Amino acid sequence: MNTILESFYDLKEIVSSFNNLHEKYNWLLSDLDGSFPDKYLHYFTDYRIYNNRTNTSTYWITGEKLTELANKEDIYFIWGVFSAFDKKEIINLDVLKEESYADGNPDFWIEAPIIQHPKAIIELVFGTHL
């Protein structure tokens, strides 16, 4: 399943739309832009934060921790990608070759867009200027 949303969304709204189904998956969050303070990094199993234009920051989180994070405070995103993986799947962020991205991605405006990461089951892409 691949869904594209065009608006500002807070994390609580995104997570509540899944009706707890998101807890069945592990999530790779990538190409995020918005209000996401560093004080919440401890919710993630793993993350890489880059301050350059060659890589986007990536975050690996369980569905349960995503619920906890969403219920803390208002966290919102302008754009980003949430990719869901089977609970048994492990992603090594040091060797991540498929960095899903929203901003400027031309592959969304085709007749049948596909999920960017080959092992992802679900991809939610959101942005105000896709």
Side-chain angles (χ1 to χ4, degrees):
M1 175 188 299
N2 185 304
T3 302
I4 301 170
L5 305 172
E6 292 187 83
S7 186
F8 288 91
Y9 286 93
D10 70 36
L11 184 58
K12 191 173 211 169
E13 184 178 359
I14 294 167
V15 170
S16 69
S17 72
F18 291 132
N19 199 24
N20 294 324
L21 292 174
H22 65 282
E23 292 187 358
K24 293 182 178 183
Y25 305 100
N26 289 327
W27 292 85
L28 179 67
L29 283 54
S30 58
D31 194 28
L32 300 177
D33 187 19
S35 169
F36 188 63
D38 287 348
K39 67 181 179 179
Y40 298 119
L41 291 176
H42 66 279
Y43 285 92
F44 295 93
T45 305
D46 196 9
Y47 60 88
R48 298 294 179 275
I49 298 176
Y50 302 102
N51 295 318
N52 60 47
R53 301 302 281 161
T54 58
N55 296 86
T56 63
S57 296
T58 53
Y59 307 85
W60 184 249
I61 191 169
T62 66
E64 296 83 5
K65 286 291 185 181
L66 190 58
T67 299
E68 288 180 36
L69 179 61
N71 288 318
K72 290 300 175 194
E73 289 185 29
D74 290 335
I75 300 171
Y76 70 88
F77 300 105
I78 298 167
W79 66 70
V81 180
F82 282 30
S83 303
F85 294 80
D86 185 277
K87 282 283 195 184
K88 296 175 187 168
E89 189 69 45
I90 298 171
I91 300 292
N92 181 342
L93 298 181
D94 287 328
V95 294
L96 184 65
K97 294 179 183 175
E98 300 85 6
E99 291 190 34
S100 302
Y101 69 102
D103 187 34
N105 190 331
D107 294 330
F108 296 136
W109 310 116
I110 59 176
E111 187 172 321
I114 60 171
I115 294 175
Q116 296 177 70
H117 194 288
K119 293 183 179 181
I121 299 167
I122 298 167
E123 181 177 82
L124 174 65
V125 179
F126 47 95
T128 58
H129 304 290
L130 291 174

